[in-house]
Amino acid sequence: MTVTDNGKGMDEAELVRAQDPFSTDGVKHPQRKVGLGLPFVIQTTRMTQGRFQISSQKGKGTTVTATFNLEHWDTPPLGDLPATLGQLMALSGDYEATVVRRLTGKQVTRSWEAKRSELLEALGSLEDLESLTLLREYFRSLENELVEATQ
Amino acid sequence: MTLQELRAMREKGQQAMDRRVGGDKSIEIIVGMGTCGIAAGAKEALNAFIDELNSKDVRNVVIKQVGCMGFCHSEPTVEIKMEGMPDIIYGNVDANVARTIVHSHILEKKLVDNHVFDKPALDILKRTPGKEK
């Protein structure tokens, strides 16, 4: 799994702090001393012999790569991927996001791609029941087609 | 399914909805999707809301996903705002409780016992902790 943004980026000291569970930028919750998102990913990859990488350039953006070892006992199940990706696209705010889902089967690698702006344009909104239901169906159909195509 | 088919389904759905209801007040469901919420099962709760609301044919629902609301000890948390009911934050909302909220709070307008919180945590309300007790 790779997540890349074109946000503020971090310098080396910030990058180290971002991986510490007892550190946060303190902007949203001024009283808090924990930031668990990245530490959880790091912990999960470490305890399952996966890989974790983070790189960042101040002012340019950040890339996080996590590789999970599907053979390991302690690797959590993948869960409902289409629903998760749909929920990700529906997080509130004005931003662009692109999801690229790749799957390698025995013979071939196939992928599907979705852009948040295109989904918004097609659905008109990503915050009402009908559009969220359709978005989930859409991602499920893309995922099913992908699984079939790579079998 | 293609993006064009998705757009067509949306338009078809909107036309059907326009015929069915006239000016109902909307229901707002706000789901906390911070790390704490997701770890506690907020994704499953959100899915359960979508499925249950659809199966009961409830319309005019806005579902917003936000960050942590300050109840990390009681995740997943969900706020419901609707006409005829006070704004309520529910805690420990798993898929089952989500279904109960649809039946009880949204359809029958009865609060769901043992899951009610009155307001977000102090630091979310931007008050200084310790000042009020």
Side-chain angles (χ1 to χ4, degrees), chain A residues 28-32 36-38 40 78-80 83-84 86-92 115 118-119 121-142 145, chain B residues 1-3 6-11 13-14 17 33 35 39 42-44 46-51 53-54 58-72 121 123-124 127-129:
Chain A
K28 196 180 167 208
H29 307 291
Q31 309 295 331
R32 292 192 203 178
L36 299 176
L38 279 178
F40 273 153
L78 189 56
D80 187 345
T84 301
Q87 287 166 4
L88 202 63
M89 293 304 229
L91 282 174
S92 26
K115 262 195 161 70
E118 290 176 2
L119 295 168
E121 191 268 320
L123 291 167
S125 151
L126 293 173
E127 284 196 338
D128 62 75
L129 178 62
E130 290 75 23
S131 61
L132 289 177
T133 307
L134 283 175
L135 177 63
R136 206 176 60 176
E137 269 176 48
Y138 178 56
F139 275 15
R140 278 185 183 155
S141 84
L142 293 178
E145 286 163 22
Chain B
M1 200 193 290
T2 64
L3 207 56
L6 180 68
R7 188 180 293 112
M9 282 172 79
R10 171 67 169 174
E11 281 160 8
Q14 272 174 333
M17 213 164 72
M33 300 283 278
T35 302
K43 292 196 293 188
E44 288 76 9
L46 180 58
N47 263 334
F49 270 115
I50 291 176
D51 290 335
L53 289 163
N54 279 320
V58 185
R59 299 292 141 176
N60 289 329
V61 184
V62 172
I63 301 178
K64 284 186 185 155
Q65 301 179 60
V66 298
C68 168
M69 289 195 260
F71 283 130
C72 305
D123 62 338
I124 305 281
R127 289 180 201 161
T128 316

Side-chain angles (χ1 to χ4, degrees), chain A residues 71-132:
Chain A
E71 305 293 314
H72 200 285
W73 284 110
D74 292 327
T75 298
L78 189 56
D80 187 345
L81 194 64
T84 301
L85 294 173
Q87 287 166 4
L88 202 63
M89 293 304 229
L91 282 174
S92 26
D94 182 20
Y95 60 94
E96 177 64 304
T98 306
V99 167
V100 182
R101 158 75 169 145
R102 232 177 247 116
L103 187 65
T104 303
K106 281 183 187 139
Q107 314 264 321
V108 287
T109 295
R110 291 281 152 79
S111 67
W112 58 264
E113 195 175 320
K115 262 195 161 70
R116 189 170 187 265
S117 54
E118 290 176 2
L119 295 168
L120 253 174
E121 191 268 320
L123 291 167
S125 151
L126 293 173
E127 284 196 338
D128 62 75
L129 178 62
E130 290 75 23
S131 61
L132 289 177

Side-chain angles (χ1 to χ4, degrees), chain B residues 51-106:
Chain B
D51 290 335
E52 200 63 17
L53 289 163
N54 279 320
S55 80
K56 298 291 168 208
D57 217 18
V58 185
R59 299 292 141 176
N60 289 329
V61 184
V62 172
I63 301 178
K64 284 186 185 155
Q65 301 179 60
V66 298
C68 168
M69 289 195 260
F71 283 130
C72 305
H73 56 292
S74 302
E75 293 292 334
T77 49
V78 173
E79 183 170 9
I80 315 275
K81 297 178 174 180
M82 60 183 281
E83 183 85 357
M85 289 294 273
D87 295 352
I88 295 288
I89 294 178
Y90 286 110
N92 298 314
V93 182
D94 61 15
N96 265 331
V97 177
R99 283 187 279 271
T100 309
I101 289 174
V102 172
H103 290 237
S104 179
H105 186 110
I106 292 175

